[in-house]
DNA sequence: CATAATGATTGGTG
DNA sequence: CACCAATCATTATG
């Protein structure tokens, strides 16, 4: 320590006064091969650098300027730069080119798909709607839910964009700041433009990693929002009365084969303002629950059977509407009601009710009416309510092991009704 | 608040 | 892939 101070002091004031106070002889022999002199020269400069910290700010500034103007400075600077480049670049050169982060790409894609990033307003909401539709199915179903969802999504998008903007701005500010600083320092420090560029790169990388975090959390938020709003399980809405009515009508009028085709499902979906998937769900649930406890559904079955029967009757014969059904929706959801042979049908049904039924005689589309009317008949047959009703009729097509037999083909109506005796007593539950 | 009803999901099957 | 059976989670109801 002592030594240093002494050293510094010994050199204080050397060549201070405004101008390079360096030995005169050096000024001449620039390009010369004056090795000794140059060494001396360099030594001087280094000494001055060493002592610069020991001086007042003004002094230091002045000296800095003096050093800057020194004729050896560019050469020295270049050398230093070269050395630095060699070492630093060799260290960092390996991790220079990084491939586009797959994670980041995934996030970007998702945000784009979700309508968070990408174009503003119009495109965003459109993308959101598309996403919603993709998950939900048909477009114009429950718009109330979706508007709520969309507002929330817009909020997220706004936050995302403002944050992104902030980051971007901060990044730019910081970058320019650092660049200015480095440029400023590059006059006294060996900093090459390449290095500045690398610095900028590093800064950008750091900021982009922050951005990735933002994107990630945005993605999470969107996911949560999605699961909260579009996962209907969370916010389940019961179908409205009309929808269930329509569905039940179809179900009970196709009780022998309650498996709507794809087209039928679409039709029902349209009528009920729900998605095809929901129709499928409904029928799945209905089938299983009906089968599980037929007794419980007896009343319902009779009701719908009666209604459709009435409608059918009204439609076919005298159009007198005694008591109009509560629902304006026509019962003939399937639309293929052919009542021309209603008489025959009725006969068949009667015989069916009487236990011997050759289903092969009846066409499949008629089959539904068989179901319908069968219910009516069994109802008008006047079984006492409740318990015994369970035994009154066993829905055709449901065998003891459960499940409707596969009888979608019109050619042969499968499963003649089991004997009246065979009851689903096991479903007592 | 307990329970039933109900729409949706999940795992398994052919 | 459609369906079934079990189950979950929410909504309606007493």
């Amino acid at each position: 320590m002592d030594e240093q101070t002494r050293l510094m002091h010994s050199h204080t004031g050397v060549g201070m006064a405004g101008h390079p106070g360096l030995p005169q002889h050096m000024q001449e022999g620039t390009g010369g091969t004056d090795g000794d002199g140059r060494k001396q020269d360099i030594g001087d400069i280094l000494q001055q650098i060493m002592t610069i910290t020991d001086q007042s700010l003004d002094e230091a500034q002045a000296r800095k300027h003096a050093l800057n103007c020194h004729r050896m400075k560019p050469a020295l600077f270049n050398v230093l730069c070269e050395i630095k480049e060699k070492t630093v670049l060799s260290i960092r050169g390996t991790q220079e080119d990084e491939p586009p982060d797959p994670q980041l790409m995934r996030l970007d894609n998702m945000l784009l798909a979700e309508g968070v990033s990408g174009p503003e307003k119009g495109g965003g909401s459109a993308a959101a709607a598309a996403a919603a539709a993709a998950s939900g199915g048909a477009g114009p179903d429950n718009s109330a839910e979706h508007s709520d969802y969309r507002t929330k999504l817009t909020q997220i998008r706004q936050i995302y964009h403002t944050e992104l903007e902030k980051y971007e701005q901060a990044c730019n500010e910081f970058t320019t700041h650092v660049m200015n600083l480095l440029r400023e320092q590059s006059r006294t420090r060996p900093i090459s433009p390449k290095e500045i560029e690398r610095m900028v790169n590093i800064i950008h990388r750091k900021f982009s990693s922050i951005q990735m975090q933002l994107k990630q959390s945005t993605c999470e938020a969107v996911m949560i929002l999605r699961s909260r709003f579009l996962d209907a399980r969370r916010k389940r809405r019961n179908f409205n009365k009309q929808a269930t009515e329509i569905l039940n009508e179809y179900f009970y009028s196709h009780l022998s084969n309650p498996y709507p085709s794809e087209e039928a499902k679409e039709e029902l979906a349209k009528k009920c303002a729900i998605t095809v998937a929901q129709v499928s769900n409904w029928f799945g649930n209905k089938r299983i629950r009906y089968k599980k406890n037929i007794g419980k559904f007896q009343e319902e079955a009779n009701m719908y059977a009666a209604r459709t029967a009435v409608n059918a009757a009204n439609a076919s014969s005298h159009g007198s509407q005694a008591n109009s059904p509560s629902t304006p929706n026509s019962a003939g959801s399937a639309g293929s009601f052919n009542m021309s042979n209603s008489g025959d049908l009725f006969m068949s049904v009667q015989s069916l009710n009487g236990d011997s039924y050759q289903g092969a005689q009846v066409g499949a589309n008629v089959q539904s009416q068989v179901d319908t009317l069968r219910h009516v008949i069994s109802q008008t047959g006047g079984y006492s309510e409740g318990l015994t009703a369970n035994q009154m009729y066993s829905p055709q097509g449901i065998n003891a092991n459960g499940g409707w037999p596969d009888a979608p083909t019109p050619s042969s109506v499968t499963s003649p009704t089991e004997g009246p005796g065979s009851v689903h007593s096991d479903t007592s539950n």
Side-chain angles (χ1 to χ4, degrees):
Chain A
M1 199 52 183
D2 249 359
E3 219 175 3
Q4 204 174 10
T5 16
R6 215 178 49 237
L7 195 71
M8 285 173 172
H9 273 288
S10 71
H11 284 275
T12 338
V14 175
M16 248 334 295
H19 257 336
L22 291 169
Q24 205 59 289
H25 71 274
M26 268 337 281
Q27 303 229 342
E28 216 66 354
T30 313
T33 54
D34 193 347
D36 239 21
R38 197 186 289 183
K39 230 185 273 175
Q40 172 74 28
D41 206 2
I42 292 171
D44 267 351
I45 293 172
L46 290 177
Q47 290 296 353
Q48 290 181 51
I49 291 171
M50 290 296 282
T51 58
I52 207 165
T53 55
D54 201 33
Q55 296 159 3
S56 75
L57 211 60
D58 281 350
E59 272 179 329
Q61 207 66 25
R63 175 161 304 205
K64 205 169 89 182
H65 182 67
L67 283 170
N68 240 356
C69 295
H70 192 266
R71 63 192 168 75
M72 287 300 287
K73 187 241 171 187
L76 213 81
F77 187 80
N78 279 347
V79 170
L80 285 174
C81 275
E82 232 172 85
I83 292 169
K84 195 170 175 186
E85 199 144 311
K86 261 181 202 154
T87 55
V88 176
L89 270 185
S90 68
I91 291 169
R92 297 227 180 111
T94 50
Q95 62 176 46
E96 199 48 75
D97 53 343
E98 61 182 285
D101 191 353
Q103 169 93 4
L104 183 64
M105 276 175 56
R106 240 190 27 205
L107 289 174
D108 273 336
N109 282 340
M110 180 182 160
L111 288 174
L112 207 62
E114 222 61 47
V116 174
S117 64
E120 274 301 318
K121 299 283 177 192
S125 59
S135 94
D141 42 2
N142 39 359
S143 53
E145 295 277 317
H146 283 180
S147 75
D148 204 358
Y149 170 81
R150 231 168 313 161
T151 54
K152 285 276 202 293
L153 191 71
T154 316
Q155 275 177 14
I156 290 179
R157 196 173 60 228
Q158 272 171 0
I159 291 170
Y160 171 78
H161 275 124
T162 52
E163 288 295 305
L164 206 63
E165 189 102 0
K166 251 194 304 194
Y167 287 171
E168 203 92 19
Q169 199 180 333
C171 179
N172 281 340
E173 261 172 38
F174 191 66
T175 302
T176 53
H177 180 72
V178 167
M179 269 171 69
N180 284 341
L181 208 67
L182 288 178
R183 252 200 290 262
E184 163 79 21
Q185 291 200 342
S186 72
R187 281 189 295 191
T188 53
R189 227 151 55 85
I191 299 170
S192 66
K194 215 187 266 183
E195 210 176 337
I196 294 179
E197 192 185 327
R198 205 167 48 237
M199 262 318 180
V200 171
N201 262 345
I202 289 169
I203 292 168
H204 281 177
R205 222 171 305 164
K206 277 274 182 267
F207 269 93
S208 75
S209 86
I210 295 172
Q211 269 187 14
M212 195 162 99
Q213 280 178 13
L214 172 69
K215 284 176 183 175
Q216 190 143 19
S217 48
T218 306
C219 272
E220 274 170 29
V222 170
M223 289 303 258
I224 290 167
L225 182 73
R226 232 160 125 67
S227 66
R228 182 126 338 134
F229 277 84
L230 296 176
D231 182 4
R233 184 160 163 165
R234 284 215 169 265
K235 230 183 172 63
R236 204 198 86 225
R237 300 262 128 208
N238 286 357
F239 298 154
N240 60 35
K241 205 98 164 78
Q242 286 200 6
T244 46
E245 205 109 312
I246 292 166
L247 292 168
N248 271 318
E249 233 150 60
Y250 188 97
F251 180 80
Y252 286 113
S253 61
H254 297 72
L255 200 52
S256 67
N257 187 35
Y259 295 88
S261 66
E262 202 54 39
E263 297 96 58
K265 279 184 197 170
E266 278 169 27
E267 174 103 10
L268 286 168
K270 210 189 300 177
K271 273 195 200 169
C272 301
I274 58 177
T275 68
V276 175
Q278 284 177 306
V279 173
S280 296
N281 279 341
W282 191 90
F283 272 89
N285 283 323
K286 191 72 184 179
R287 279 191 298 264
I288 203 79
R289 281 163 186 165
Y290 178 84
K291 196 176 74 183
K292 221 167 177 174
N293 191 354
I294 293 170
K296 204 166 62 184
F297 289 90
Q298 197 98 76
E299 222 172 316
E300 191 177 76
N302 293 332
M303 195 184 106
Y304 282 103
R307 187 179 305 177
T308 53
V310 167
N311 278 357
N314 280 348
S316 68
S317 55
H318 40 276
S320 67
Q321 305 223 16
N323 47 358
S324 63
S326 54
T327 57
N329 306 41
S330 72
S333 48
S336 67
F337 260 60
N338 176 12
M339 289 310 284
S340 61
N341 56 352
S342 63
D344 288 351
L345 185 76
F346 218 81
M347 294 285 284
S348 311
V349 170
Q350 277 178 328
S351 64
L352 169 141
N353 212 29
D355 182 20
S356 73
Y357 165 55
Q358 303 296 353
Q361 303 283 357
V362 193
N365 62 338
V366 183
Q367 182 65 35
S368 60
Q369 298 173 54
V370 175
D371 292 321
T372 299
L373 295 175
R374 224 169 92 260
H375 277 98
V376 177
I377 289 165
S378 61
Q379 188 185 35
T380 50
Y383 54 81
S384 47
E385 64 263 297
L387 302 158
T388 50
N390 209 353
Q391 316 219 341
M392 265 314 287
Y393 76 97
S394 64
Q396 155 190 14
I398 300 193
N399 45 27
N401 356 343
W404 279 262
D406 44 7
T409 51
S411 56
S412 76
V413 177
T414 52
S415 96
T417 51
E418 8 175 6
S422 87
V423 200
H424 306 271
S425 51
D426 53 344
T427 60
S428 60
N429 202 4

